Amino acid sequence: MNPCFPHQYIDRSDGMIRTEKLLADKTIALLYSRVRENASLLFRLLTGSLTTDLLACFHYDLPLYRHDKKIRAMIRDLGIDMDEVLEPESIRTVRDLFERKIAYWKTRPMAHAPRSVVSPCDARVIPGSFDETDTVFIKEKFFDMEELLGRDKDTWRRAFEHGTYAVFRLTPDKYHYNHMPVTGRVMDVYEVRGAYHSCNPSAVIELVTPYSKNRRVVTVIDTDVPGGTGAGLVAMVEIVALMIGDIAQVYSDFAYDYPRDIRPGDTLLKGQPKSLFRPGSSTVVLLFQKDRFRFSEDLMENVGRKDVQSRFTKGFGRPLVETDLCVRADIGRAMETD
């Protein structure tokens, strides 16, 4: 994929088409084309955990990146709104900036309709379907579901067959806490080992199914419980990328107070902080069961827009346009069941 080709998306707040400034675009293009094809051992080394840890240390933890001037420049260049940050005086390193907490209860308001499903993160989203009769059928473009959930997880794979999904791509400027998209009881939570591929659109297209090849944490939630969202089973898959060495599970029932790990049997509330990606870009995938969830109309309309220059459109040969939205924003509704 030519790194000079622009990547555009729809800003949900005003409906405008915007062009994304992709960081290290030429380097990513080189890594995922010539290096991958001609030096597979080097490619595996560069997308492994050791390289990820070293890159993260270099970019976020060395003394060079603790300088106030450097941090102010990053805030300016990335367009981060410090007015929404809790305790901005605590931002002393680049890592602090990427792991910042915000007053989400004020700056990311949430609709409290019981059957609504909300965005798990500040991200750019593409909705899709596993059903060939669906207009947004994108099977195996972003991931292989069996591989994504784990080869030994047939129960969950069968549960989401013919269902729908949404891919949420975080960029480095985003707030990197993930929040619960639904209310329900945890049925399973587990980690699947994998690599640390970039989430740059060019890398996604070149590798074809990178989201199911990366290290990830899978949480399966039953929302058909008292007080739940009523959307059946929902899987939340948190996927690491370059310079993401860890996904910290830090669920809190109120604000960011008393964070705790997640275990089967726990009841988790929609809109509350669930986890934290360490610095870098990353991705969250939500899986829904067939006929249990319907996406918001604007997301469905945007994904098929032909007037937007998306790299996903060019790479996959059909309109695939992202919508930029905020964490806790409504993305659809649980469907009524008989």
Side-chain angles (χ1 to χ4, degrees):
M1 179 61 62
N2 184 354
C4 295
F5 185 84
H7 181 68
Q8 297 180 322
Y9 59 91
I10 306 296
D11 188 331
R12 195 186 206 186
S13 66
D14 57 14
M16 297 295 292
I17 299 173
R18 306 202 186 281
T19 300
E20 181 175 336
K21 182 179 179 181
L22 293 160
L23 300 182
D25 200 26
K26 292 183 179 179
T27 302
I28 293 296
L30 174 65
L31 174 62
Y32 282 84
S33 56
R34 296 180 186 176
V35 173
R36 182 170 65 93
E37 292 174 3
N38 301 321
S40 59
L41 180 60
L42 176 60
F43 177 76
R44 289 196 298 272
L45 175 64
L46 293 174
T47 55
S49 60
L50 177 60
T51 300
T52 284
D53 290 342
L54 291 174
L55 284 172
C57 178
F58 179 79
H59 282 282
Y60 305 115
D61 298 322
L62 291 182
L64 173 64
Y65 293 90
R66 296 174 183 265
H67 196 283
D68 287 345
K69 186 176 180 181
K70 173 69 177 180
I71 296 171
R72 288 196 299 271
M74 291 196 69
I75 292 170
R76 181 188 65 247
D77 293 344
L78 294 175
I80 295 172
D81 182 1
M82 293 301 291
D83 288 338
E84 68 181 22
V85 176
L86 290 175
E87 302 179 351
E89 67 280 0
S90 67
I91 306 298
R92 299 176 181 175
T93 69
V94 174
R95 181 176 291 276
D96 291 340
L97 183 63
F98 278 91
E99 297 182 6
R100 64 191 180 274
K101 298 175 181 178
I102 65 172
Y104 63 83
W105 49 91
K106 296 179 181 178
T107 62
R108 305 292 192 274
M110 182 178 71
H112 289 283
R115 300 184 69 84
S116 70
V117 176
V118 301
S119 174
C121 43
D122 281 355
R124 289 170 193 147
V125 62
I126 285 181
S129 172
F130 297 115
D131 191 340
E132 293 189 39
T133 64
D134 197 291
T135 57
V136 292
F137 173 65
I138 321 172
K139 185 178 181 182
E140 294 182 356
K141 293 298 186 185
F142 293 107
F143 55 83
D144 174 280
M145 185 170 67
E146 181 180 0
E147 187 178 28
L148 181 78
L149 295 177
R151 297 295 187 186
D152 60 340
K153 296 291 183 177
D154 288 345
T155 298
W156 304 136
R157 179 182 55 79
R158 288 194 296 269
F160 295 105
E161 282 181 343
H162 307 296
T164 55
Y165 65 84
V167 176
F168 298 83
R169 183 175 62 90
L170 289 80
T171 51
D173 57 300
K174 298 295 189 184
Y175 162 68
H176 271 70
Y177 273 85
N178 298 310
H179 289 236
M180 282 297 298
V182 292
T183 293
R185 181 179 298 124
V186 176
M187 301 294 291
D188 200 359
V189 57
Y190 57 93
E191 180 178 320
V192 183
R193 293 181 179 274
Y196 295 77
H197 293 292
S198 171
C199 294
N200 179 295
S202 293
V204 174
I205 293 164
E206 292 289 345
L207 199 58
V208 182
T209 57
Y211 296 145
S212 54
K213 298 181 185 299
N214 284 21
R215 182 183 164 220
R216 53 210 179 273
V217 172
V218 180
T219 308
V220 181
I221 306 113
D222 181 7
T223 69
D224 289 335
V225 296
T229 303
L233 294 177
V234 176
M236 182 173 177
V237 186
E238 297 155 314
I239 304 168
V240 303
L242 282 174
M243 293 187 286
I244 296 283
D246 189 27
I247 310 169
Q249 298 297 320
V250 289
Y251 177 80
S252 296
D253 283 314
F254 179 78
Y256 299 93
D257 297 349
Y258 308 109
R260 57 182 172 84
D261 202 356
I262 292 172
R263 295 179 175 83
D266 289 351
T267 295
L268 308 181
L269 302 177
K270 179 171 63 180
Q272 294 306 115
K274 175 187 182 290
S275 61
L276 170 65
F277 281 124
R278 296 309 185 190
S281 62
S282 40
T283 301
V284 174
V285 173
L286 296 183
L287 303 179
F288 302 96
Q289 292 184 287
K290 182 178 175 60
D291 298 329
R292 298 304 310 270
F293 171 75
R294 181 179 291 111
F295 287 110
S296 299
E297 290 184 7
D298 64 320
L299 301 182
M300 299 299 296
E301 292 172 356
N302 288 346
V303 77
R305 291 266 297 262
K306 297 181 179 180
D307 59 334
V308 181
Q309 296 188 69
S310 166
R311 288 193 185 180
F312 294 129
T313 295
K314 187 174 179 64
F316 295 141
R318 54 150 300 162
L320 285 176
V321 178
E322 296 173 302
T323 299
D324 188 274
L325 42 63
C326 293
V327 65
R328 306 194 343 140
D330 196 323
I331 63 166
R333 291 286 190 278
M335 296 172 65
E336 299 286 349
T337 56
D338 294 334

